[in-house]
Amino acid sequence: MLGVDPASAPGAVTGVVALVFGLAPVGCLWAVGHRVEWLPTDGHAGAVVLLGTTLATAVVGLVVVPGAPAVELGVPGAIDLLWMALVSPLLFGIGLVVGVATLRIPLDQFPPPLAGGARARTGDRRLVVATVLLAGVGEELMFRGFVQASLTASFGPAVGIGVAAVAFGLHYCPAVARRPREIDLDGLARLALTACGGAVLGVLYVATDNLLVPIVGHTVHAGALAAIRTRS
């Protein structure tokens, strides 16, 4: 049973509230997306809606939630720049090992496409750019700067990184299926793969104390994925 010092109880509440904030955008999208005809829920347009909502929710949470952590941002040093450059190759490597080696993601389908088929691959370039930028800034601000940092303050870095990584994986549910009941074993493998990537980004944030490192690394990786998908 996980024990929490009574003195740290307010911080634990902040961590739980941060987790609710992190899962709220995808939950709301799935709850109302199929009921609102004009709201895109798949492809790059759907990703922009989800990621934009995630960024806005993260900013609101960091401002209004009592005890919300301060976001650690700083001028990157040489080691930070090195990690920024290595994030994308590292995440691709994890994808190959976890996804392809387990046979859940065939090599000819790596990286896996977004839900929405051709529309996800051939979307407007402005939507693709918006998706890449919002992924790096919005998701890192939410899942590393808010959720992970809040949980780490009360439960330690292992819990903070792990829970934030799982929440990050769940955040990608709309990318693998339009409805929760449509998620199959392949979809679960892709969500697990995303969670592994989130854990890597979380470790980098703890190791560098600079959110700019996972933000830039994530943005570069998202850009590389977008380039591969649009050319395939």
Side-chain angles (χ1 to χ4, degrees):
M1 182 176 180
L2 183 63
V4 180
D5 189 331
S8 67
V13 172
T14 299
V16 173
V17 172
L19 182 59
V20 172
F21 267 72
L23 296 175
V26 67
C28 291
L29 181 66
W30 261 356
V32 305
H34 64 285
R35 301 177 183 175
V36 182
E37 293 183 0
W38 53 264
L39 182 67
T41 57
D42 59 13
H44 288 294
V48 168
V49 171
L50 176 60
L51 295 172
T53 304
T54 299
L55 175 58
T57 305
V59 171
V60 170
L62 288 166
V63 171
V64 306
V65 174
V71 177
E72 300 288 343
L73 287 171
V75 178
I79 298 299
D80 294 339
L81 293 173
L82 177 62
W83 279 119
M84 289 177 185
L86 290 177
V87 167
S88 189
L90 184 60
L91 294 181
F92 272 118
I94 292 174
L96 288 170
V97 172
V98 176
V100 176
T102 59
L103 303 180
R104 299 311 316 182
I105 304 176
L107 185 60
D108 61 352
Q109 295 181 22
F110 186 86
L114 299 172
R119 285 182 295 171
R121 295 191 298 271
T122 60
D124 189 298
R125 288 187 178 182
R126 291 171 295 182
L127 290 177
V128 176
V129 172
T131 300
V132 169
L133 295 178
L134 286 170
V137 177
E139 290 179 338
E140 293 312 307
L141 189 63
M142 173 63 84
F143 293 102
R144 257 57 69 181
F146 188 20
V147 176
Q148 177 178 308
S150 298
L151 292 168
T152 297
S154 294
F155 302 107
V159 172
I161 293 170
V163 174
V166 172
F168 179 65
L170 293 175
H171 179 72
Y172 273 73
C173 284
V176 301
R178 295 184 179 90
R179 299 286 185 274
R181 62 178 178 273
E182 295 176 3
I183 298 178
D184 54 14
L185 288 178
D186 292 339
L188 289 176
R190 296 178 185 185
L191 296 180
L193 175 59
T194 303
C196 290
V200 170
L201 294 166
V203 170
L204 286 179
Y205 185 33
V206 170
T208 61
D209 286 323
N210 189 352
L211 190 62
L212 200 60
V213 175
I215 285 177
V216 173
H218 190 161
T219 302
V220 171
H221 184 62
L225 286 175
I228 293 172
R229 285 176 175 138
T230 53
R231 292 178 181 178
S232 61

